[in-house]
Amino acid sequence: MQWETVIGLEIHAQLATKSKIFSGSSTAYGAAPNTQANTIDLGFPGVLPVLNRSAVSMAIRLGLAIEAEIAPRSVFARKNYFYPDLPKGYQISQFELPVVGKGEVELVMGEDDIRVIGVTRAHLEEDAGKSLHEDFHGKTGVDLNRAGTPLLEIVSEPDMRNAKEAVAYAKKIHQIVRYIGICDGNMQEGSFRMDANISVRPKGQEAFGTRAEIKNINSFRFLERAINFEVERQIDVIEGGGTVVQETRLYDADKNETRTMRAKEEANDYRYFPDPDLLPLIIEEQDIEAERSNLPELPDIKRKRFQSDFGLNRYDAAVLTASRVLGDYYETVVKAANGEAKLAANWVMGELSASLNRQGMDIEQSPLSAEQLGGMLLRISDNTISGKIAKQVFEAMWNGEGDADSVIEKQGLKQITDSGAIESIIDDIMAANPGQLQQYRSGKDKLFGFFVGQVMKATQGKANPRQVNELLKSKLAG
Amino acid sequence: MHHKSIRQHADSLRQGEYSSVELTRSFLQRIKQYDGQLNSFITVSEEQALASAKAADERLAAGDASLLTGIPFAHKDIFCTDGVRTSCGSRMLDNFIAPYNAAVVDRLAEAGIVNLGKTNMDEFAMGSSSETSFYGAVRNPWNTDCVPGGSSGGSAAAVAAGLAVAASGTDTGGSIRQPAALCGISGLKPTYGRVSRWGMIAFASSLDQGGPMARSAEDVAILLQAMAGFDARDSTSAQRDVDDYVSPLQDSLQGLKIGLPKEYFSAGLDAQLQASIMQAIDEYKRLGAEIVEISLPNTALAVPTYYVVAPAECSSNLARFDGVRYGHRCEDPADLEDLYKRSRAEGFGDEVKRRIMIGTYALSAGYYDAYYLKAQQIRHLISDDFRKAFEQVDVIMGPTTPTTTFGLGEKTNDPVTMYLSDVYTIAVNLAGLPAMSIPVAPVDGKPVGLQLIGNYFNEARLLNIAHGFQQVTDWHQQMPAQFN
Amino acid sequence: MSLKTSDVEKIAHLAQLSINDEEAEGLLGELSGILGLVAQMEQVDTTGVEPMAHPLHMNQRLRDDVVSETDQRDKLLALAPSSEAGLILVPQVIE
């Protein structure tokens, strides 16, 4: 039987506010336990929540970025359950009326492969604290610093059909939230967490299969692995004559497997109801317009502009707009290189990105500024250096030896374009290698490369390759 | 000294007849002498009281005093008081020393009031008789075999017996007005959102409202002036100016339109009590008021609706009492679930458990629409009844309670009968309106309360109407002989 | 909607209240009585009536995004029944 996978993602993006969603406690990461938990975060008797303005602005921004409906009226609800990291015995979330409604995102899977994934909704809610299971004489320690940190839960439609698409979608949302500055996207610190709803169905069948939800995945690599594992597991279950049960599962990265966390029968009855301590959130058209005017250029728009302004293909443009910083870097390179857009794209996606990868660096940490790289590209385009020599220059600049011009100057890398000089070098080489010359002239064309090599060796690679070719051809011909 | 009004005490303090420290000592002495019979206080904070009295005397001497400076007062034990146990009448919080003050506590403290201690109450404000307290039942000063009403029964009893000049209360379904009625004092539940709920332990957040309880409408007005106001920490706090409650007290009642809802004078209302109410209405006629019969057709639905909405909210509000971060934790929990279940079962009393259970059920999967949603819809209908009524009249009047005080233990085994004793007060909370209870002619020596319901944020008019009556009657000045 | 003892036990579990059989029986009677009272709501036709969650027609006010709190850990954790090294302790939770 042929199987089709159906995947929907719920992404929790921690909003980059200074204070918590309902209290004035700091949201800074890494503080000593419970030092950023005030009476509201700890759910003390008689304390009350007041909504953070920035959290609302950020939700509106996401709504605009995914072209979603932004609810003129949304309501906070209580999700009731008991857990030590949930101080009030309920989580303040949104249920029936979320702040952001239906939207969509576009994924560029390949040059001619575009997928549109629906976003069902996005709602504001508070994060829980952390239970630390290290042994405190057989007890669990509770740290409530994270309790009350604002989250935007972004829920997709079940529109993805394989792990690759799911990862591309998750990366897309990651890209968007970072572009619009509402989430730092730091996955190690838990700022961006994913739950995947996965089911399989026979190809051609319309009805969905029973789904399992894999909770709290905090890397794209794990997301891909978890989905692949889970899909195989479900197919094995069905093909083995069993049925998939609806349940919550956990992905264990060490063992690369998913395992049951909570079966549906044990699922909580959350008893959602409107939080009587909070009033309806009203968003006016003017609030939306204010956010719109503050919105940076969004990744898809930037990508399209790169395609049309710089003549890039869709795929390259998508790569270069992956993050706002990368896009800005690229644009600066193009400008410094006097509009050499394609050359700039090749260098940014090639040498630069390879060097960054080797060092495990982000574009933000590049030792080479966009202006420096652009300056070097100028020297390629005006024939001062060849592409090959440029790699040497690049490396020198990477190592902090200064700008392209000074590296070229110091190391004497300027290209030799004087035909007379090249001709005299060729003459010397022909004289020094009579055997090879004879063989070449008697038809061994392959030796042409040998002569090119000799010329380049003699000029330390600085001779203009095109000129070398032309001059060698005529000289060797006799 | 214990008969005097706030204004009289304020005058005496300024004229040096006695100091606040002396006044406070005399009230502390009365508490020692009488509270054994009433059990109206859970905690008496003598040391703090004397310290604030001393500070009050300094303010008075410096000419920097308000009408409330140096006045001995008592807070219902539902208001958090920094450094003083705040138990909410529950074993759950028997060991809870609040690390902050409720907004109401701060506001009154700024005015210079002297807090004598924390008054007894139904556990978590759930009850109409002040019998569900972990600290034992409160008794009615007019008849110590009877209940003072609830849940602010400790506050009502303390004021009625002259153990405090005035007290704070909270009202979720009648918890200020009903004990005020049963103890023969004046009490006001402000418009929802008028008094900050910050630091007031929540029972049902969309219904709870704190307010003053005192002998006279004038005292209530002076207290409300200090208690009311916008608080940025409470999302449901009304962002509007506080009216002057004191100056308009003397306004004429000529032409006042009083609505009498026919549903409030039907079966179930004690005949003698009705007569007492009508006698008060006649007094208003003499003051120039016009009587209009009105209808609040959904009155009978208020109790059923309330007993879905309030328990639903309470089931969630009381989830935080789980034995983890503060409050009662059971001995040697076997595991987490044992910790939760036993701490909560031991920490909460029967009535609180009942309401948590009802609320949990009403919100649970499959029942939400039939109970919670339905109740919210009927709440709308009840609210509309009042809206329509206030198109015709200035104030709605009727009995605060269907009967006078009843014997201790008489209704404790029958929650439904107990709930029905709030029939006249509950609708006001569902609608969020302001309402008062003031004493009228007693029946067989037992106090009777007249309820006055006003339009939203119309507390000034309500107090004026109550004060007008008290200018021509003296029911509010009577004290039970046993404590006089 | 008549209640059974098993319902009472289920509700008690949701509410995290330990109850013994005797208490469950008692609660069954009391809760049934209250639900009988509440059942009066059924008579009312509420078709098209907007549910009312708050008494006033007010909207949510927003707080500026400012850190206004300082560390109060020692003061607040002093109220916890069990704490150590700045953490609140509970019986081991197995995930």
Side-chain angles (χ1 to χ4, degrees):
Chain A
M1 172 129 24
Q2 284 264 48
W3 297 95
E4 183 179 50
T5 305
V6 176
I7 304 161
L9 292 186
E10 288 165 22
I11 293 174
H12 291 89
Q14 220 173 65
L15 296 177
T17 56
K18 295 183 196 78
S19 65
K20 292 188 178 177
I21 184 167
F22 298 118
S23 88
S25 297
S26 169
T27 56
Y29 181 81
N34 290 312
T35 54
Q36 289 175 176
N38 75 352
T39 55
I40 298 173
D41 312 316
L42 289 168
F44 265 60
V47 302
L48 296 165
V50 183
L51 183 58
N52 184 330
R53 185 186 306 283
S54 291
V56 176
S57 300
M58 290 179 182
I60 296 173
R61 269 190 261 170
L62 177 89
L64 290 170
I66 60 169
E67 286 170 30
E69 301 151 20
I70 293 160
R73 179 177 180 275
S74 66
V75 167
F76 286 92
R78 293 184 181 177
K79 178 181 182 178
N80 294 284
Y81 66 97
F82 287 87
Y83 205 70
D85 65 15
L86 189 72
K88 299 184 293 299
Y90 58 83
Q91 179 194 28
I92 305 177
S93 181
Q94 295 189 303
F95 187 53
E96 281 180 332
L97 297 169
V99 62
V100 175
K102 274 188 186 308
E104 59 182 39
V105 296
E106 217 176 78
L107 310 179
V108 179
M109 301 298 294
E111 186 51 34
D112 290 309
D113 188 4
I114 296 265
R115 297 271 293 126
V116 175
I117 306 294
V119 171
T120 315
R121 60 184 282 170
H123 63 256
L124 284 166
E125 62 182 26
E126 57 179 345
D127 208 343
K130 276 182 186 160
S131 300
L132 305 167
H133 306 294
E134 294 102 72
D135 203 15
F136 290 97
H137 352 284
K139 292 193 168 133
T140 288
V142 183
D143 173 11
L144 295 169
N145 278 350
R146 203 182 62 184
T149 299
L151 297 178
L152 194 60
E153 180 174 339
I154 305 158
V155 183
S156 84
E157 293 286 316
D159 283 351
M160 290 150 277
R161 294 292 170 267
N162 56 55
K164 259 198 163 44
E165 275 178 22
V167 169
Y169 166 79
K171 283 186 171 167
K172 185 77 201 183
I173 296 293
H174 190 251
Q175 174 193 42
I176 291 170
V177 297
R178 291 175 71 218
Y179 252 82
I180 60 177
I182 67 168
C183 172
D184 66 16
N186 189 325
M187 298 176 92
Q188 279 82 49
E189 293 178 3
S191 300
F192 191 89
R193 316 194 287 268
M194 300 162 285
D195 300 343
N197 283 299
I198 301 160
S199 65
V200 296
R201 62 183 172 190
K203 222 175 175 86
Q205 177 184 305
E206 206 173 315
F208 292 131
T210 306
R211 65 165 200 267
E213 184 181 22
I214 306 174
K215 283 262 184 214
N216 261 327
I217 307 168
N218 65 355
S219 94
F220 297 126
R221 199 157 43 101
F222 291 168
L223 176 64
E224 182 162 4
R225 285 193 196 165
I227 292 172
N228 286 333
F229 175 88
E230 180 60 19
V231 167
E232 270 186 46
R233 187 191 70 84
Q234 293 188 11
I235 293 172
D236 285 351
V237 167
I238 301 169
E239 289 185 341
T243 48
V244 174
V245 283
Q246 188 174 335
E247 61 182 354
T248 304
R249 298 178 72 85
L250 272 183
Y251 175 68
D252 183 332
D254 295 333
K255 296 183 184 150
N256 185 31
E257 62 174 32
T258 66
R259 60 165 186 271
T260 301
M261 183 180 162
R262 185 166 64 227
K264 200 205 172 193
E265 304 80 72
E266 300 163 40
N268 259 307
D269 180 346
Y270 290 122
R271 291 159 284 137
Y272 281 100
F273 76 108
D275 190 329
D277 287 332
L278 292 161
L279 298 163
L281 171 62
I282 304 299
I283 295 175
E284 313 268 7
E285 201 51 48
Q286 73 216 42
D287 304 326
I288 299 175
E289 287 319 307
E291 292 306 326
R292 198 193 299 278
S293 64
N294 283 328
L295 216 56
E297 186 181 30
L298 293 166
D300 285 351
I301 293 167
K302 199 188 274 286
R303 170 176 60 79
K304 286 172 191 154
R305 181 167 63 80
F306 278 20
Q307 286 177 250
S308 64
D309 286 9
F310 302 137
L312 300 177
N313 68 31
R314 179 150 56 195
Y315 188 78
D316 288 355
V319 171
L320 288 170
T321 53
S323 79
R324 219 165 126 182
V325 186
L326 180 60
D328 290 349
Y329 188 99
Y330 169 71
E331 281 198 271
T332 311
V333 175
V334 173
K335 209 169 153 200
N338 227 345
E340 288 284 351
K342 281 187 182 155
L343 187 62
N346 291 339
W347 277 87
V348 171
M349 292 194 298
E351 204 63 24
L352 176 70
S353 122
S355 303
L356 290 171
N357 275 344
R358 258 196 306 276
Q359 311 267 331
M361 287 175 171
D362 287 329
I363 184 74
E364 289 92 330
Q365 302 158 294
S366 170
L368 198 59
S369 75
E371 286 80 3
Q372 280 180 302
L373 182 56
M376 186 195 82
L377 300 188
L378 265 185
R379 295 297 157 256
I380 299 177
S381 67
D382 70 7
N383 278 327
T384 305
I385 52 171
S386 67
K388 203 160 173 199
I389 289 293
K391 290 195 178 162
Q392 262 185 66
V393 177
F394 180 92
E395 208 175 300
M397 292 196 298
W398 182 273
N399 294 325
E401 293 172 29
D403 290 349
D405 286 344
S406 74
V407 170
I408 293 167
E409 178 67 37
K410 252 189 286 182
Q411 304 193 9
L413 297 174
K414 196 165 177 324
Q415 188 158 246
I416 300 166
T417 49
D418 176 348
S419 300
I422 297 173
E423 275 182 74
S424 95
I425 290 164
I426 292 174
D427 290 342
D428 292 351
I429 286 165
M430 283 163 61
N433 297 286
Q436 282 86 345
L437 182 61
Q438 202 197 337
Q439 284 180 40
Y440 177 81
R441 286 188 171 156
S442 55
K444 204 164 178 190
D445 291 351
K446 275 201 291 193
L447 280 170
F448 186 75
F450 165 78
F451 286 103
V452 173
Q454 290 299 309
V455 175
M456 285 309 192
K457 198 173 160 194
T459 60
Q460 289 157 300
K462 288 179 291 187
N464 179 299
R466 193 173 41 81
Q467 282 174 293
V468 170
N469 269 317
E470 279 168 16
L471 293 170
L472 257 181
K473 247 178 213 158
S474 70
K475 288 245 172 202
L476 289 173
Chain B
M1 276 198 263
H2 56 276
H3 297 100
K4 287 186 176 178
S5 71
I6 291 174
R7 199 176 283 283
Q8 286 166 335
H9 280 305
D11 286 346
S12 300
L13 288 168
R14 275 163 186 72
Q15 282 154 20
E17 278 177 45
Y18 43 79
S19 67
S20 173
V21 170
E22 286 166 328
L23 183 63
T24 300
R25 283 219 170 91
S26 98
F27 275 95
L28 289 168
Q29 180 52 42
R30 283 184 64 79
I31 294 170
K32 274 184 198 132
Q33 188 180 346
Y34 293 115
D35 203 42
Q37 298 168 62
L38 296 175
N39 197 26
S40 67
F41 279 84
I42 291 173
T43 304
V44 178
S45 43
E46 181 166 342
E47 219 173 286
Q48 287 98 328
L50 288 169
S52 10
K54 197 163 161 272
D57 283 331
E58 283 160 17
R59 273 179 75 171
L60 282 156
D64 168 35
S66 80
L67 275 177
L68 293 171
T69 306
I71 304 294
F73 185 83
H75 276 295
K76 184 177 181 180
D77 206 18
I78 198 168
F79 290 99
C80 288
T81 39
D82 198 349
V84 176
R85 174 174 61 178
T86 301
S87 75
C88 224
S90 181
R91 181 182 182 197
M92 183 59 87
L93 292 178
D94 185 42
N95 61 2
F96 182 69
I97 312 278
Y100 45 86
N101 275 335
V104 161
V105 172
D106 269 339
R107 281 177 163 271
L108 289 174
E110 277 157 29
I113 218 158
V114 173
N115 180 27
L116 299 168
K118 310 293 292 288
T119 61
N120 203 350
M121 56 183 282
D122 279 302
E123 185 181 9
F124 284 103
M126 296 175 201
S128 310
S129 64
S130 298
E131 292 170 289
T132 69
S133 171
F134 172 62
Y135 302 92
V138 183
R139 288 161 186 269
N140 191 319
W142 293 92
N143 180 339
T144 51
D145 293 330
C146 287
V147 303
S151 65
S152 311
S155 288
V159 173
L163 307 189
V165 175
S168 58
T170 60
D171 191 317
T172 305
S175 283
I176 286 176
R177 291 160 289 156
Q178 188 254 17
L182 269 44
C183 290
I185 64 163
S186 305
L188 182 144
K189 180 205 97 76
T191 307
Y192 183 81
R194 181 70 293 178
V195 169
S196 170
R197 293 188 299 115
W198 175 264
M200 188 177 108
I201 299 177
F203 159 15
S205 311
S206 79
L207 302 165
D208 295 343
Q209 187 64 195
M213 303 174 80
R215 262 177 206 297
S216 66
E218 187 194 28
D219 285 1
V220 168
I222 293 167
L223 286 161
L224 184 64
Q225 201 74 62
M227 290 164 85
F230 173 67
D231 183 354
R233 297 170 298 180
D234 175 0
S235 292
T236 62
S237 175
Q239 211 163 358
R240 56 184 286 159
D241 291 342
V242 175
D243 293 335
D244 180 351
Y245 299 127
V246 179
S247 315
L249 286 173
Q250 319 295 337
D251 289 358
S252 161
L253 301 186
Q254 194 67 44
L256 176 76
K257 277 192 185 157
I258 299 173
L260 298 185
K262 60 180 188 206
E263 294 81 5
Y264 285 22
F265 294 90
S266 58
L269 177 60
D270 178 275
Q272 283 177 286
L273 195 149
Q274 177 163 355
S276 171
I277 296 295
M278 292 322 292
Q279 190 189 321
I281 300 295
D282 286 341
E283 201 68 65
Y284 274 108
K285 282 190 203 158
R286 281 193 283 280
L287 289 166
E290 182 192 328
I291 308 301
V292 183
E293 192 195 76
I294 58 162
S295 173
L296 299 170
N298 292 295
T299 295
L301 291 165
V303 172
T305 302
Y306 176 89
Y307 278 95
V308 171
V309 174
E313 292 184 12
C314 106
S315 71
S316 176
N317 280 338
L318 270 61
R320 69 188 60 201
F321 303 106
D322 59 4
V324 173
R325 298 164 316 286
Y326 50 78
H328 177 73
R329 181 183 282 201
C330 66
E331 291 282 335
D332 302 322
D335 54 26
L336 184 65
E337 186 170 301
D338 186 41
L339 181 150
Y340 283 151
K341 288 189 169 177
R342 240 172 353 108
S343 300
R344 288 168 59 78
E346 293 167 4
F348 294 139
D350 290 344
E351 181 59 23
V352 170
K353 284 185 215 172
R354 267 199 285 276
R355 299 207 193 184
I356 289 175
M357 295 281 286
I358 283 290
T360 302
Y361 183 66
L363 291 175
S364 65
Y367 301 101
Y368 181 85
D369 287 2
Y371 289 116
Y372 185 75
L373 208 62
K374 184 89 179 177
Q376 297 288 43
Q377 289 176 309
I378 298 178
R379 184 174 186 181
H380 205 148
L381 298 178
I382 289 167
S383 174
D384 282 346
D385 283 356
F386 283 110
R387 205 177 304 280
K388 284 176 201 145
F390 282 115
E391 287 167 10
Q392 296 175 61
V393 300
D394 302 314
V395 63
I396 295 169
M397 289 192 190
T400 307
T401 57
T403 64
T404 54
T405 179
F406 46 90
L408 284 156
E410 205 178 298
K411 295 185 184 175
T412 39
N413 293 323
D414 186 359
V416 171
T417 310
M418 185 77 95
Y419 296 171
L420 286 170
S421 66
D422 294 334
V423 59
Y424 303 131
T425 48
I426 267 176
V428 164
N429 298 78
L430 291 168
L433 292 163
M436 276 194 88
S437 179
I438 55 170
V440 296
V443 169
D444 300 333
K446 291 174 175 177
V448 173
L450 170 72
Q451 181 173 229
L452 295 72
I453 305 168
N455 210 340
Y456 294 102
F457 297 103
N458 221 345
E459 285 82 0
R461 183 67 168 148
L462 213 45
L463 286 159
N464 161 228
I465 297 166
H467 182 73
F469 179 81
Q470 292 182 342
Q471 291 304 97
V472 295
T473 57
D474 66 352
W475 307 117
H476 62 289
Q477 284 169 345
Q478 302 202 353
M479 276 195 73
Q482 202 178 337
F483 301 94
N484 205 341
Chain C
M1 293 178 228
S2 76
L3 219 52
K4 297 188 292 287
T5 312
S6 61
D7 295 324
V8 173
E9 282 160 357
K10 203 182 119 207
I11 303 164
H13 176 69
L14 270 179
Q16 295 283 289
L17 291 167
S18 77
I19 51 167
N20 59 33
D21 292 350
E22 194 186 327
E23 286 166 326
E25 281 310 313
L27 277 164
L28 177 64
E30 290 159 6
L31 299 189
S32 299
I34 299 167
L35 291 176
L37 171 74
V38 163
Q40 289 175 39
M41 295 196 310
E42 288 167 27
Q43 309 153 6
V44 191
D45 180 8
T46 51
T47 319
V49 179
E50 188 70 23
M52 178 173 146
H54 285 100
L56 300 179
H57 298 282
M58 295 196 307
N59 303 329
Q60 180 59 39
R61 194 162 17 84
L62 301 176
R63 199 191 91 241
D64 287 339
D65 182 21
V66 179
V67 175
S68 55
E69 296 291 316
T70 50
D71 174 18
Q72 293 185 70
R73 180 174 80 184
D74 294 345
K75 187 176 173 187
L76 299 181
L77 254 57
L79 292 155
S82 173
S83 65
E84 192 180 304
L87 294 164
I88 300 159
L89 298 189
V90 295
Q92 188 113 57
V93 180
I94 297 124
E95 266 190 359

